[in-house]
Amino acid sequence: MIVQNLDLMDPKRFADGIPYEHFRHLRDCAPVSRGTDTDGEPLWHVVRHQDVSAVSRDARTFSSSPTTMTSIRKVDPSPPIITFLDSPEHTRVRKLTFKVFAPARLAALKAPVRGIVDLLLDEAREKGEFDLAEDIALRLPFEVLLELLDIPRRDRTTMLGWARRTVNLGDKEYGDDTGPDAFQQIHAYLNDFAHHRAAHPADDCFSLLLNARLNGAERLGLPDRLTPDEVGLFASTLVTAGIETTYCSVTGGVLALLDHRDELARLRADRRLLPTAAAEVLRWVTPVTHFARRPVADTEIAGQPVAAGEKTVLWYSSANRDERVFTDPDRFDIGRSPNPQLSFGGGGPHVCIGNGLAVLELREFLDGVADLLPLLELAEPPVRPETNFMNSVKHLRLRFR
């Protein structure tokens, strides 16, 4: 049933999943519509693929500052993370951190990522019954990112506890106030670690970031290198954002394959489908449901006038089901091609800088889990959090038949 006045900023409206029927109605009847944030601030909802992509790519008109967050995630953005920066500051940080995700570095991570996947799956086998969300989906990106950052193993258990509390922020199981505190704890630890590496360089990611130089930065009046504080903040953002995206993709991907056994059989029979399967999981799940922008001048979107400064919410969950772009968008098809999904943003300068690592993690997980899934069944119904920001499953208990 279509709820004409459904409040998309109310996290409770997402407790049973994404309201796809409502988004379909908006795409047909009101592609740019009025809404209100949880604090009463008026905003615009943008739901069509073409418009979400156009706004994302037009960074000169649509600003990410002071924050791209909405609803209960509207926290103090200082110091501003890379997501909340506009050019030239955003361009500077992005170029100085790009080497972390260079193709050669990602290629070197393939074997360690697969080793982590296999270890987590082996542990699940030993348990017989397990929570995919807690035991695998949360730990996989966490272990990969801490391997990338070379964080001492003695500190990883403590950091995992902090990271868990940043996931599904706003859900009462995690507490309304623990998320920001947890990020601050992660930030404090990684900031100290960055300062330590500045004084004691090593062959690791932190030293790579500290040693990076940007030619021509002086002409823009910007520093040509990152400070230890900037490195610590970037690493904190990488850990929290990187965990959330893969967390949602893993849980949502498993549910999709269990619900579509024919597609699971296709994947098991032909691993050459892994690249398109990963892309389809990302489209189907759409881990981050939305981000916001603000126009710096009066403009229009799809013919709708939008005034300077008015918050504009880009709904990736809707764009990825747009029937104007995707044939039979409500069908899960691991061979879908082309697949212009917008799960890492709609393009432009703010496309997710860690998307290559996220895809690597997802592909290796799908490859590792494909032959196990026929042996698994739901032990309990999936439990979704109350959040309108991540399309996640906070508990997904599975058991071997």
Side-chain angles (χ1 to χ4, degrees):
M1 182 180 70
I2 297 171
V3 182
Q4 301 288 348
N5 60 348
L6 187 148
D7 182 3
L8 292 172
M9 288 292 100
D10 182 358
K12 292 183 174 62
R13 300 298 184 184
F14 290 73
D16 294 324
I18 306 297
Y20 292 116
E21 288 297 322
H22 183 70
F23 279 126
R24 183 180 294 111
H25 168 73
L26 291 180
R27 287 195 301 271
D28 288 340
C29 302
V32 183
S33 61
R34 269 296 190 188
T36 306
D37 211 338
T38 48
D39 59 1
E41 180 184 5
L43 50 78
W44 294 100
H45 295 298
V46 181
V47 296
R48 286 184 182 171
H49 187 286
Q50 178 181 350
D51 302 325
V52 170
S53 182
V55 171
S56 299
R57 293 175 183 278
D58 188 2
R60 291 187 176 182
T61 303
F62 293 93
S63 171
S64 297
S65 178
T67 180
T68 62
M69 310 307 284
T70 67
S71 190
I72 48 84
R73 290 215 173 203
K74 289 171 66 174
V75 296
D76 181 3
S78 58
I81 62 176
I82 185 173
T83 313
F84 304 157
L85 295 175
D86 293 324
S87 292
E89 291 82 2
H90 177 267
T91 301
R92 167 183 170 266
V93 175
R94 193 174 182 95
K95 287 185 174 180
L96 284 168
T97 55
F98 175 76
K99 286 186 178 180
V100 173
F101 305 104
R105 182 168 283 270
L106 291 182
L109 279 173
K110 188 175 187 297
V113 168
R114 187 50 184 267
I116 293 169
V117 167
D118 291 343
L119 175 63
L120 294 176
L121 292 176
D122 286 343
E123 291 179 357
R125 281 194 200 93
E126 292 178 6
K127 289 182 178 181
E129 183 173 320
F130 61 99
D131 186 340
L132 181 81
E134 291 279 338
D135 297 335
I136 296 179
L138 178 65
R139 291 178 57 199
L140 169 58
F142 176 81
E143 293 292 345
V144 170
L145 287 164
L146 267 59
E147 190 73 22
L148 176 69
L149 295 172
D150 198 27
I151 300 300
R153 293 197 171 274
R154 65 178 181 274
D155 298 331
R156 295 188 182 188
T157 300
T158 299
M159 287 196 69
L160 180 62
W162 296 335
R164 181 184 179 275
R165 285 161 36 211
T166 67
V167 176
N168 299 321
L169 179 62
D171 185 86
K172 55 190 175 184
E173 179 178 337
Y174 300 87
D176 291 337
D177 300 322
T178 56
D181 289 341
F183 179 82
Q184 290 163 10
Q185 289 173 300
I186 292 172
H187 179 211
Y189 175 91
L190 293 175
N191 198 59
D192 287 345
F193 198 86
H195 279 271
H196 173 74
R197 275 290 173 257
H200 306 281
D203 183 19
D204 68 354
C205 181
F206 278 89
S207 297
L208 177 69
L209 290 169
L210 290 163
N211 291 330
R213 298 294 181 267
L214 180 60
N215 294 330
E218 296 88 345
R219 294 196 302 272
L220 299 174
L222 298 172
D224 68 345
R225 67 192 67 184
L226 296 171
T227 66
D229 286 348
E230 288 177 313
V231 170
L233 182 61
F234 176 77
S236 305
T237 307
L238 179 62
V239 168
T240 53
I243 287 176
E244 289 174 333
T245 303
T246 300
Y247 175 86
C248 296
S249 299
V250 166
T251 52
V254 164
L255 279 175
L257 289 168
L258 290 177
D259 288 341
H260 301 84
R261 298 279 181 168
D262 54 338
E263 295 301 294
L264 173 58
R266 287 179 69 192
L267 181 60
R268 294 182 65 218
D270 187 358
R271 292 300 207 274
R272 291 174 298 178
L273 288 170
L274 278 169
T276 53
E280 180 68 345
V281 166
L282 287 165
R283 184 193 73 87
W284 186 259
V285 177
T286 312
V288 176
T289 64
H290 70 276
F291 268 136
R293 301 285 191 270
R294 292 178 186 272
V296 297
D298 291 351
T299 187
E300 65 175 45
I301 304 171
Q304 171 64 54
V306 177
E310 289 189 321
K311 182 180 294 181
T312 304
V313 182
L314 309 178
W315 284 98
Y316 309 118
S317 291
S318 175
N320 278 345
R321 298 290 182 106
D322 192 339
E323 46 284 301
R324 295 157 188 80
V325 175
F326 301 97
T327 302
D328 200 0
D330 294 323
R331 179 170 61 91
F332 181 68
D333 176 8
I334 66 167
R336 185 182 294 275
S337 182
N339 189 347
Q341 50 86 16
L342 303 183
S343 293
F344 293 117
H350 279 279
V351 68
C352 175
I353 193 172
N355 67 82
L357 179 59
V359 169
L360 172 63
E361 292 171 355
L362 182 55
R363 285 188 189 179
E364 292 302 313
F365 171 75
L366 291 175
D367 191 22
V369 80
D371 290 329
L372 282 184
L373 287 180
L375 308 175
L376 290 168
E377 62 183 4
L378 291 176
E380 298 174 7
V383 181
R384 293 186 178 274
E386 286 186 3
T387 175
N388 69 339
F389 181 64
M390 306 297 296
N391 183 18
S392 65
V393 178
K394 65 179 180 179
H395 296 298
L396 182 57
R397 295 206 64 82
L398 301 174
R399 62 175 168 238
F400 285 87
R401 298 176 187 269

